[in-house]
Each structure stands twice: as structure tokens, then as C-alpha cells.
Amino acid sequence: MKTIVKYFVFVLAMQPMFLLYCQNNTNEIIKAYELRMDGHTEEAINVLSKIIRSDSTNALAYFELARSLENDKKIDNIIKALDYDSKNLTYKFYLANLHMLEAYKAMKTNNKELITKNLNLCTETLKGILAIKPDCRESLLFLIDIYGSLPEEIGGNMDIAKTYLKTLKSVDLLYAAQGELILKSKEPDFDIVKHWKTYIDTNGESNEALVKLGKAYLMTNKKVKAKECFNKVINRDPQQVILYLDVARAHLYGAMRGGDKQDKELNKFKENVLLYLNTAVKKPQLIEAWCYGWLGMVEGRLGNNKLGDEYIDKAEKLIPNYPRFTAIPAIDLAPNVVAYQYKSYFSAF
């Protein structure tokens, strides 16, 4: 009996130390995330690797390591995270996105075997989310996006997409409207702007719906109308100033198409990027660096080489290896924040 009592006393004494140890690890993982977001990826990886060496079952550390790496070890580490936290939906969404990325790579080389393999892994992961949370609107919409957007020969299936849409209609009206758009977009006379106007007339002018309408205008090359929608949203919620960068990107794509309006489009790109940068809202360094990098590229294209170099220097000081792609960089939330959102696999906006 005395032995049992001593055991419980020991366990109770050790519990605060164990909780403190776990908390310290979480703090260190968040520190690694902050290092990565500031452009110090190698330092972040070193912090996480050290944690895993001392705490080999730490799912959060594996998740953040997966997000920090830029090689095929990303999938290995997110699978490790799920080994130790199998019902974490944030981890599952991240894994699904990685499988879709691998499918994209296979599409570029027309490797049908790899396309099929990775699409299957992606959809099975998304279905695994529904097994845990049957009313997960993001997973339902991702599945509609995949089955409704892809041709049949590489995995598309309109019947399956319609089945998921039926479920989604009972879960979320805005997401269901997005699902309907995906399925109707193949119709030759489909009007994406009219689609969102009809939704707003029926369900009200929410910020989310106005953003959808604005992006529909961008996709139909009506940039002025898009900006009018976005201004309404930003006036209600100043944190949404990032929408100006979508307008900027639309002008950039217009310039990339060439023609006699190329310089005008580049100047409009600059105007909207500067509009974003000059707002008082706190901005992620990664996106600031992306803005300055592209301003540098555009100024160089317009012949303003000195100003272009100044912008490039600003970008490199913020994030030495800043992103060069045209898409606005995705900003990861802290690893301990439970969050996931739908972003189309197949649409630029």
C-alpha cells in the first residue's frame, strides 16, 4: 500500500514538470514558426529537429517541420504528425494539399500513373476528414472542386461532385453557391458575375459574397467593377486590404498578355500594390517582400532601373529568398491555431 501511495505522490509531483516541458516545447515550435515567417527557414528547421530528437512523438513539431521543409520530406513529416494526432483536421488538410501539389507536378509531365495515384491520395484524405466531421464544408467543397473540375480521364466525376453538392447545400449556402459555380462553369453560356449577383440578391450583401463577386469581375476582366466591390469590403473591414493585391495581379496578368496596353497595365499594377503597402494595417513580412520584389521587376521593365533595384533591395532585406511567383504568398497561421479554409485548386482568384 505504501508503494502505491509513493507512486501516486511521485506522479503528482512530476505532472507540473511534464506540463511545463510540453508548454516549453510548444513555445519553441511557435518560435520556429516565427523564424520561418521572417525568412530564417534553416534556423527554424534546426529548432524543430532538436525538439523532435528529444520528443519524438511531438505531432505539432512534425507539422511545423513539414511546413518548413522544401523537399519530398514534407509528406513524410506530416504523416508522422498524423501518426501521433490522427484526427487533427488541420494536418489532414495540409496532407491533402501536398498530394494535390504532387498531382500538379505529374500533370506537367503527363505522368498519368502519378496523377491518378496522387489524386486518389488527395481525395481519400479529404474523405477521411468527412469521416471525422461529416459537415466539414471545406472538405465537401474541395471534393466538388476536384470531381467537378477535372476531366473524366484523370479522375473527374460529375455524379460524385453532385452528390457532395447536395450535402453541402444543407451545410453552408455560400459554399454551396461556390460548388454550383464549379459545376456550371463548364456550360458555354454560364455567367459567373450573374451567378454571384443572384446569390447576393437572394441572401444579402455579406463581405464574403462581395469578395466572390469582386473576384468574378476579375475573372471576366472587369477590374474597375472588382475594385468597387473590394472597396465596399475594405470600408467595412480594413483588414481586407490584401484584396488590392488581387486587383494588382489581374493587371499583371493583363501586362503579361502583351499588346499596346502593357505599360498601362504595369502602372495599374504598381498603383494597387502601393495602395496596399501604404495602408496602416499590419502586413506580413512575406507579403511585403513579395510586393517589393514585384515592384522591382515592374520598374525594371518600365526602364526605371534605379528605383527597381531599390525595391529589390527592400524585398531581400525583409526576406532574403522572397517568393517570385505571381500568386500572393499564403500566410500560415501559427501551428497551434486550429484553422483551415477552402482555396480552389484550379482558379487563379
Side-chain angles (χ1 to χ4, degrees), residues 57-335:
T57 63
N58 192 312
L60 196 64
Y62 284 114
F63 171 54
E64 184 55 30
L65 184 57
R67 298 199 300 179
S68 301
L69 294 168
E70 290 298 337
N71 56 37
D72 57 1
K73 296 293 183 183
K74 291 176 84 71
I75 288 180
D76 292 345
N77 280 282
I78 195 61
I79 288 173
K80 275 281 189 184
L82 282 162
D83 283 344
Y84 301 115
D85 190 358
S86 61
K87 293 186 177 181
N88 189 304
L89 301 192
T90 302
Y91 300 174
K92 284 184 175 289
F93 273 115
Y94 190 74
L95 178 59
N97 288 339
L98 290 178
H99 286 313
M100 178 53 74
L101 182 61
E102 291 302 312
Y104 280 143
K105 291 177 185 176
M107 287 175 194
K108 288 181 180 179
T109 58
N110 199 30
N111 187 326
K112 292 182 179 178
E113 185 178 343
L114 277 179
I115 294 170
T116 301
K117 175 188 172 183
N118 285 290
L119 284 175
N120 286 341
L121 287 169
C122 179
T123 53
E124 287 307 309
T125 304
L126 292 167
K127 290 171 187 175
I129 291 168
L130 292 179
I132 297 168
K133 191 176 189 299
D135 61 348
C136 182
R137 61 184 187 175
E138 292 83 3
S139 191
L140 288 163
L141 190 49
F142 273 127
L143 287 162
I144 293 165
D145 199 13
I146 294 168
Y147 286 118
S149 299
L150 292 174
E152 285 187 16
E153 58 267 24
I154 60 169
N157 188 313
M158 290 297 283
D159 290 337
I160 294 176
K162 287 175 183 175
T163 300
Y164 284 120
L165 179 58
K166 185 178 178 182
T167 303
L168 187 55
K169 284 180 177 178
S170 65
V171 173
D172 187 289
L173 289 175
L174 183 77
Y175 274 60
Q178 180 70 36
E180 286 179 323
L181 182 152
I182 291 165
L183 301 192
K184 290 179 179 177
S185 61
K186 294 183 179 180
E187 298 172 5
D189 58 346
F190 177 68
D191 186 333
I192 186 173
V193 170
K194 184 180 177 183
H195 177 82
W196 286 114
K197 280 186 173 181
T198 301
Y199 176 87
I200 288 171
D201 289 343
T202 306
N203 299 286
E205 196 181 71
S206 67
N207 277 3
E208 293 83 359
L210 277 172
V211 169
K212 295 292 186 185
L213 178 58
K215 292 188 177 184
Y217 278 127
L218 289 182
M219 292 173 73
T220 52
N221 204 30
K222 295 172 184 171
K223 296 185 272 291
V224 174
K225 286 282 190 183
K227 198 165 178 180
E228 288 172 5
C229 287
F230 294 159
N231 280 334
K232 278 188 181 180
V233 175
I234 292 163
N235 285 337
R236 297 176 187 175
D237 179 6
Q239 296 296 323
Q240 296 292 326
V241 290
I242 196 168
L243 291 167
Y244 288 135
L245 296 186
D246 279 320
V247 180
R249 287 169 62 227
H251 285 293
L252 182 62
Y253 296 146
M256 287 176 170
R257 287 191 287 270
D260 56 359
K261 294 184 179 179
Q262 190 174 53
D263 285 1
K264 181 181 177 182
E265 294 279 32
L266 290 176
N267 280 305
K268 282 289 183 181
F269 168 83
K270 286 166 43 183
E271 176 188 312
N272 283 281
V273 171
L274 290 170
L275 194 57
Y276 168 76
L277 288 172
N278 292 334
T279 56
V281 171
K282 182 175 172 57
K283 303 163 195 71
Q285 275 191 225
L286 190 64
I287 292 180
E288 270 196 286
W290 178 90
C291 289
Y292 286 124
W294 270 105
L295 283 173
M297 292 276 287
V298 166
E299 291 292 3
R301 173 65 183 79
L302 292 169
N304 305 321
N305 294 324
K306 184 180 178 184
L307 182 56
D309 289 343
E310 288 173 6
Y311 280 133
I312 296 289
D313 286 344
K314 275 190 175 184
E316 290 177 344
K317 281 177 183 174
L318 284 168
I319 305 286
N321 191 27
Y322 67 89
R324 270 77 169 174
F325 42 73
T326 58
I328 303 166
I331 300 301
D332 294 332
L333 295 173

Side-chain angles (χ1 to χ4, degrees), residues 11-25:
V11 168
L12 289 170
M14 290 300 293
Q15 190 176 33
M17 294 176 65
F18 176 72
L19 292 173
L20 180 62
Y21 173 73
C22 291
Q23 182 60 44
N24 284 341
N25 269 348

